[in-house]
Amino acid sequence: MKKLVMRSVRAALQLIPKNLKDKLKQSERLTGLYVRSVRKSGLFFDAPTAKQTQALYNHWLEVNESTFSKSAATLGEWQAVIFGCDPQGVTKKNIKDLGAKAWVITGEVDISALQRKISLLDDQLPTLLLNGGDLLEKSAIHHLFEALKDNDLVYCDTDELDENGTKKSPRFLPSWNPELQYSTAYINSGVMLKTSLLKLLQISNETTIAELITELSLANENLAIKHLPLPLMHLSITQDNGVNSLKRVKEVIETHTSTVVDLDEKFNVNRLCWPNSNPLVSLIIPTKNGKELVKACIESILEKTTYQNYEILLIDNGSDEQESIEYFSYLDTLDKVRVLRYPAPFNYSAINNFGVEKAKGSILGLVNNDIEVISPDWLTYMVGHAEREDIGCVGAKLLYSDTRIQHAGVVLGYGGGAGHAHKNFPRFHTGYLNRIVATNNYSAVTAACLLVKRTHFDAVSGLNEKDLSVAFNDVDFCLKVKGLGVNNVYCAEAELFHHESVSRGLDISPEKAARFNRELAYLQTTWCDFIANDPAYNPNLTLKRENFSIKSAVELKSIGRRHN
């Protein structure tokens, strides 16, 4: 009923003249009431249904029909390895029709014969990896060949074929995303690579493609991996649901690293707890007043956090409420807490930069005063990531007070700037490609709860306090850190509440709106390439909503296709 009422309200708002609507938006009371009502109605949870996805995909296929009409006839020779069995020989026939010179089917021979067959593959020709039952689009070889020219390995998006041959269930993948591979084995077919790389690996009848990709990536840190945002591979439907691939990936990670990996069978993801050297972590928490928020935040950290080598720096930005001042004085007597005064006007970037100057830890944690710990191991998981050489910023899974998703990674391009992936989805929803419940890479994460090495923080001169005093400073910071040649991570195992906007209210006054627009313009100018095409997203997915649905007909018509 609430949804029906709010849909009617939304429809009515569309009829109001723009100048009157703008005046109404200036009323903080009316705007706050509307936002709260929409949230309660559940309209913000907007995952597309299977029917909606199919309709959008059908249109996407129509728009891109010419992309799939290219012929592979004029291209050079290639070969294939088919993993497992090949039901009724469908995959073998498919690759023969597309010109494969040679092929190996792993399920047909014993291990010694399999290794011999693979050793006979021609190093001068590329090899395609696919599973028994999978089928290639006619234009696949053309696109894969072209993409492999300057790379070691290339993979593509996928879909499925139903009993009538209709394409369905598209999987629009991100560019190379190592954490997503470790946690979900998301690359599991449709891979073309240099044959010499394939021969470096031990392949058995039980080997999976996801396992090989994981092993190659762990053994070769400079491996050039390219993603093609085209569904060129039609996957066969199996009963396994990827569990075997996850187990094999788990074994590879444990063999190559000293990481503890647990297979979470409830959500069908691997959970990696990377080792750490127990570094001192400085948790920097800015606040002005807000006794109850700060109390819930700091007490939850002190009482629930299993990782113990941390300090808390509470930065008091001009508190004037007596009860808050008295409580902060009490906090300053605790062993793990220091209270520092910062009396200048509010500037989120400047306050945190000030806190970093006073911090003692080699790992820095930027934490909002309205954060509350849920999972006791949150800091253990995050520190493990933050200490890795190839990792920059580490963000957490943050929930609104009513347990909806507030943050599960940041996508560049949402709303013309940046937004939160899967915002307002239910707490235990798996998300697109399991990306809510699985740790994976994003270009940016929110600084409401963010860990980073001090060396990285210093290398990019901290947060931009000149141009980004409130909004987008964390996005800008993450992208600068990413520019150092490391990856940023959303850590799904670190789960906390973020009682967002409770302390500062909504940014809706004319002054705040003007400041927000200036900061948005700075982001759009400075990071236009990421906004145009975020590698952690997919160019075929919408930027109008934060729900990972396929681009609508209007979007496809207005901007056309873009490749990674």
Side-chain angles (χ1 to χ4, degrees):
M1 184 62 183
K2 286 181 179 178
K3 281 191 176 183
L4 182 61
V5 171
M6 287 310 299
R7 287 187 198 278
S8 300
V9 171
R10 278 186 166 181
L13 288 173
Q14 300 304 312
L15 302 176
I16 299 176
K18 185 177 185 302
N19 58 346
L20 177 57
K21 196 184 300 184
D22 290 340
K23 286 184 179 180
L24 292 174
K25 286 181 179 179
Q26 293 177 15
S27 169
E28 185 167 351
R29 184 176 64 84
L30 286 177
T31 304
L33 175 63
Y34 177 72
V35 170
R36 288 192 297 273
S37 298
V38 173
R39 283 179 174 171
K40 287 179 180 178
S41 73
L43 283 182
F44 279 5
F45 169 49
D46 202 14
T49 64
K51 187 175 180 179
Q52 290 170 329
T53 297
Q54 188 61 52
L56 289 168
Y57 191 41
N58 289 344
H59 181 75
W60 187 94
L61 290 167
E62 288 176 15
V63 171
N64 294 281
E65 184 177 2
S66 62
T67 304
F68 297 103
S69 64
K70 297 177 180 178
S71 171
T74 59
L75 292 171
E77 296 175 314
W78 58 285
Q79 48 211 353
V81 177
I82 302 171
F83 287 78
C85 298
D86 181 16
Q88 292 81 48
V90 294
T91 306
K92 182 177 176 181
K93 182 181 185 305
N94 176 234
I95 64 172
K96 284 177 68 178
D97 290 344
L98 293 177
K101 179 185 178 183
W103 52 84
V104 178
I105 303 177
T106 65
E108 290 186 347
V109 291
D110 60 29
I111 294 178
S112 59
L114 176 60
Q115 288 291 341
R116 185 171 63 256
K117 281 178 172 286
I118 290 176
S119 70
L120 294 175
L121 291 174
D122 190 341
D123 283 9
Q124 302 305 309
L125 304 181
T127 297
L128 180 73
L129 311 181
L130 67 171
N131 294 308
D134 292 348
L135 295 175
L136 280 167
E137 184 69 29
K138 290 181 179 179
S139 61
I141 301 304
H142 167 84
H143 291 293
L144 293 168
F145 252 94
E146 288 298 307
L148 192 63
K149 286 181 178 178
D150 300 314
N151 296 281
D152 298 314
L153 181 154
V154 58
Y155 67 98
C156 62
D157 293 340
T158 67
D159 61 14
E160 298 173 5
L161 296 178
D162 65 16
E163 60 276 7
N164 299 316
T166 301
K167 296 174 182 178
K168 65 172 189 176
S169 304
R171 296 173 73 245
F172 286 121
L173 309 175
S175 293
W176 171 233
N177 196 308
E179 308 309 317
L180 190 62
Q181 183 66 13
Y182 303 156
S183 59
T184 70
Y186 81 102
I187 305 176
N188 51 31
S189 191
V191 177
M192 182 174 276
L193 77 168
K194 294 178 179 177
T195 303
S196 56
L197 287 172
L198 183 67
K199 291 183 179 180
L200 296 175
L201 306 171
Q202 293 295 313
I203 300 175
S204 73
N205 304 95
E206 302 299 321
T207 299
T208 67
I209 296 173
E211 168 190 352
L212 295 181
I213 303 306
T214 306
E215 188 165 1
L216 280 172
S217 68
L218 288 171
N220 305 270
E221 67 177 58
N222 295 318
L223 194 68
I225 301 177
K226 172 74 173 179
H227 165 235
L228 273 178
L230 290 169
L232 302 172
M233 176 68 67
H234 312 303
L235 302 181
S236 60
I237 303 172
T238 65
Q239 299 300 315
D240 175 63
N241 198 28
V243 174
N244 183 52
S245 285
L246 277 176
K247 289 180 179 178
R248 302 286 294 194
V249 167
K250 174 182 184 294
E251 292 170 4
V252 168
I253 295 169
E254 291 175 335
T255 299
H256 283 263
T257 72
S258 54
T259 307
V260 176
V261 184
D262 293 319
L263 175 55
D264 184 339
E265 295 184 358
K266 178 181 178 181
F267 292 110
N268 203 27
V269 297
N270 284 330
R271 303 209 175 277
L272 284 66
C273 190
W274 294 83
N276 66 73
S277 63
N278 195 40
L280 176 64
V281 180
S282 296
L283 302 176
I284 299 164
I285 307 175
T287 194
K288 178 179 180 179
N289 300 316
K291 174 193 171 183
E292 293 306 316
L293 283 175
V294 173
K295 188 172 188 292
C297 176
I298 290 183
E299 288 186 1
S300 72
I301 293 173
L302 294 173
E303 294 171 6
K304 296 181 181 179
T305 304
T306 53
Y307 187 93
Q308 285 299 299
N309 194 20
Y310 64 86
E311 62 169 357
I312 297 174
L313 280 67
L314 183 69
I315 315 298
D316 183 358
N317 185 211
S319 293
D320 53 13
E321 293 177 358
Q322 189 59 33
E323 63 175 2
S324 294
I325 294 171
E326 291 176 359
Y327 179 65
F328 298 164
S329 296
Y330 158 72
L331 289 177
D332 205 22
T333 66
L334 303 181
D335 290 341
K336 285 186 174 290
V337 183
R338 284 189 284 151
V339 178
L340 304 174
R341 314 295 174 188
Y342 186 85
F346 177 79
N347 181 317
Y348 181 84
S349 297
I351 294 172
N352 278 284
N353 289 342
F354 168 79
V356 169
E357 290 177 4
K358 305 298 182 181
K360 299 176 182 178
S362 60
I363 301 293
L364 306 171
L366 309 184
V367 180
N368 278 17
N369 69 344
D370 49 3
I371 289 292
E372 184 178 346
V373 173
I374 298 174
S375 56
D377 291 334
W378 71 282
L379 197 51
T380 303
Y381 274 97
M382 293 183 75
V383 170
H385 285 295
E387 276 210 309
R388 295 165 59 193
E389 289 185 9
D390 59 341
I391 298 301
C393 301
V394 183
K397 178 181 180 180
L398 303 181
L399 307 176
Y400 286 114
S401 304
D402 61 6
T403 75
R404 288 173 297 110
I405 299 294
Q406 189 270 334
H407 170 267
V410 170
V411 172
L412 274 294
Y414 279 155
H420 290 182
H422 295 108
K423 189 174 182 179
N424 293 298
F425 275 52
R427 176 183 182 182
F428 296 114
H429 197 288
T430 56
Y432 192 72
L433 303 178
N434 274 3
R435 292 185 73 174
I436 292 178
V437 295
T439 290
N440 60 107
N441 299 111
Y442 279 94
S443 295
V445 292
T446 180
C449 183
L450 180 154
L451 257 60
V452 66
K453 298 181 189 70
R454 177 186 287 274
T455 51
H456 287 337
F457 190 94
D458 292 341
V460 300
S461 301
L463 300 177
N464 185 344
E465 55 190 76
K466 176 179 177 291
D467 302 296
L468 301 171
S469 62
V470 179
F472 302 119
N473 38 49
D474 48 2
V475 178
D476 176 74
F477 175 73
C478 286
L479 293 175
K480 289 190 295 185
V481 170
K482 183 173 173 59
L484 300 175
V486 294
N487 292 320
N488 298 322
V489 174
Y490 155 67
C491 179
E493 291 77 25
E495 195 176 41
L496 306 96
F497 282 118
H498 182 199
H499 307 292
E500 188 186 43
S501 297
V502 174
S503 57
R504 297 195 62 246
L506 298 168
D507 258 4
I508 56 175
S509 69
E511 296 79 9
K512 289 179 178 179
R515 186 264 309 152
F516 176 85
N517 288 332
R518 286 195 304 272
E519 296 181 342
L520 174 59
Y522 178 89
L523 184 79
Q524 291 172 331
T525 301
T526 306
W527 301 108
C528 55
D529 289 344
F530 277 90
I531 289 174
N533 190 7
D534 187 337
Y537 200 51
N538 186 296
N540 300 307
L541 298 177
T542 186
L543 294 174
K544 298 296 185 182
R545 298 181 180 181
E546 296 158 314
N547 65 357
F548 287 76
S549 64
I550 302 170
K551 279 179 175 169
S552 67
V554 174
E555 289 177 274
L556 289 172
K557 183 178 179 180
S558 64
I559 64 174
R561 299 200 77 263
R562 283 199 302 264
H563 285 194
N564 281 11

